[in-house]
Amino acid sequence: MLLSASQFVNGQTKTDLLDRIDFNDTTLVGSERLMSDILYYIGTCQDTTESAQNQIYDVILAVDNVLARCTALPMYRYVYQNLISGFSALGVNALVDYMVHLPYLEFVATDTSGAEEMRKMAESYCRVRIGSKAPDIQTVAADGTPFELYSINADYTVLLFWSANCPHCREMIKEFGRYLPDKKDVTLVSVCVIGKKNTARKIIRKAKIANSVLISDGLGWNSRIVDDYAVDMTPSVFVLDKGKTILSKPFDVDEVMEIIK
C-alpha cells in the first residue's frame, strides 16, 4: 500500500484527539460519546482533496490507531463492532475487507474463546457485504409453513429485522404498508427478533402488506438468522435482488423505495 505524505501525517499527528479518550476505562463501553469522539477523529484524518481510494487509506490508518489502543476485550469488541457495522452498512467494502483481518487483536487481553468470538463476528460481516450473496434462510414461518429465502421469485426481497417493542420498527412497518401494496415485484420478509409471535402477527396484519412473510423463531438475539446476517440492532434492513445478491443496507424506507422504484 503506497501512502501519500499527507496521509501519513494525518494518520500519525492527529492522535492527540485520541489521547483525550481513556481506552482503558471500560465503563465508556456503550456510550454515544465514545463513538462520537472516535468518528470525529477518523473524519479529521481524511483529506477530501485526495481520491476516493486514498481517502480509504486515510480511514485505514485512523482505524489502526484506534484499535491499537483498545487492549481490553470489552472495549475492542464494542469499538470494532460499531466501526465494521457502520462501514458495512455504508457499503465501504474495502474497509470491511480490511477489518475482517482483526488488526491488533493480538495485543488484546483475551483468551481463546474471546478471540474466537471476534473471529466469528468478523466472518459474519464479511458474509453480508454489499454485492455478496445473502445467507440462505431455511426455517418455518410464523404461519407454520416451511420457508426458504431462495425460493422467493420476486424481483426484490426486502429483509427486515425488527422488534415488536421498538417504536421505530413499528413505524417502519406502517410505512412499508403504505408503499409496498403497489409493488407486486417486491416481497417483504420480516424477522421479528424480540416480541411474541402473536403480537408480531397483529402488527404485520394491521399494516396490510400483501407480499410478506413473517418469521418469529422465539430465539431472540441467539437466532441463527440474526447471527448469519450480523444483525446487532433493530430495525436492520437488507435489499436483495432476484438472485438474492445484497444490493443495499438502507437506513429507512425512503432509501428502500429509491432502490426498488
Side-chain angles (χ1 to χ4, degrees):
M1 180 189 302
L2 297 177
L3 303 175
S4 68
S6 64
Q7 285 174 307
F8 185 81
V9 170
N10 284 345
Q12 302 302 323
T13 64
K14 295 189 176 183
T15 55
D16 60 307
L17 295 173
L18 295 181
D19 292 337
R20 304 172 189 175
I21 304 172
D22 184 359
F23 285 93
N24 293 315
D25 182 4
T26 55
T27 64
L28 294 175
V29 171
S31 68
E32 292 184 7
R33 178 61 185 271
L34 172 63
M35 288 311 303
S36 177
D37 288 347
I38 289 172
L39 293 175
Y40 177 75
Y41 160 71
I42 291 174
T44 63
C45 291
Q46 285 184 273
D47 183 351
T48 56
T49 65
E50 296 265 10
S51 67
Q53 184 62 55
N54 281 344
Q55 289 185 55
I56 293 292
Y57 293 154
D58 289 339
V59 175
I60 285 175
L61 278 174
V63 167
D64 275 354
N65 282 331
V66 170
L67 292 180
R69 295 175 181 235
C70 300
T71 55
L73 181 61
M75 179 66 72
Y76 186 95
R77 182 196 297 114
Y78 177 71
V79 173
Y80 178 90
Q81 186 169 21
N82 272 271
L83 290 178
I84 197 171
S85 64
F87 295 143
S88 178
L90 292 172
V92 191
N93 288 339
L95 284 168
V96 175
D97 289 345
Y98 176 75
M99 290 191 68
V100 297
H101 292 94
L102 300 173
Y104 298 100
L105 184 60
E106 64 269 26
F107 300 115
V108 178
T110 184
D111 55 16
T112 303
S113 63
E116 180 65 11
E117 174 194 350
M118 294 303 304
R119 185 188 65 77
K120 288 182 177 179
M121 182 191 299
E123 286 183 350
S124 64
Y125 280 103
C126 192
R127 287 197 302 271
V128 291
R129 288 178 38 184
I130 290 176
S132 63
K133 287 290 187 180
D136 195 11
I137 299 174
Q138 296 186 28
T139 187
V140 177
D143 62 3
T145 60
F147 172 79
E148 185 175 353
L149 177 66
Y150 275 72
S151 68
I152 294 176
N153 197 37
D155 289 342
Y156 297 98
T157 299
V158 177
L159 184 57
L160 168 66
F161 291 85
W162 64 290
S163 296
N165 61 355
C166 164
H168 184 39
C169 297
R170 295 197 300 269
E171 182 58 36
M172 182 174 280
I173 289 172
K174 288 181 183 178
E175 289 186 60
F176 279 131
R178 289 193 289 268
Y179 289 115
L180 291 186
D182 296 329
K183 300 290 184 180
K184 305 303 182 184
D185 57 346
V186 180
T187 295
L188 174 69
V189 177
S190 65
V191 180
C192 184
V193 180
I194 300 296
K196 294 181 179 180
K197 187 182 298 185
N198 287 340
T199 302
R201 280 176 177 162
K202 290 177 183 178
I203 294 171
I204 294 295
R205 190 183 305 121
K206 190 174 181 179
K208 297 180 180 179
I209 303 170
N211 299 325
S212 69
V213 178
L214 171 63
I215 296 171
S216 179
D217 59 17
L219 299 176
W221 296 108
N222 295 317
S223 170
R224 170 68 182 272
I225 304 169
V226 171
D227 185 55
D228 282 348
Y229 279 83
V231 172
D232 53 20
M233 66 178 183
T234 57
S236 289
V237 184
F238 298 80
V239 178
L240 319 178
D241 67 11
K242 191 166 188 175
K244 306 301 176 287
T245 295
I246 299 174
L247 298 178
S248 178
K249 301 177 185 178
F251 292 102
D252 55 36
V253 176
D254 287 340
E255 288 187 39
V256 174
M257 300 312 296
E258 280 296 312
I259 298 166
I260 64 178
K261 63 182 178 181

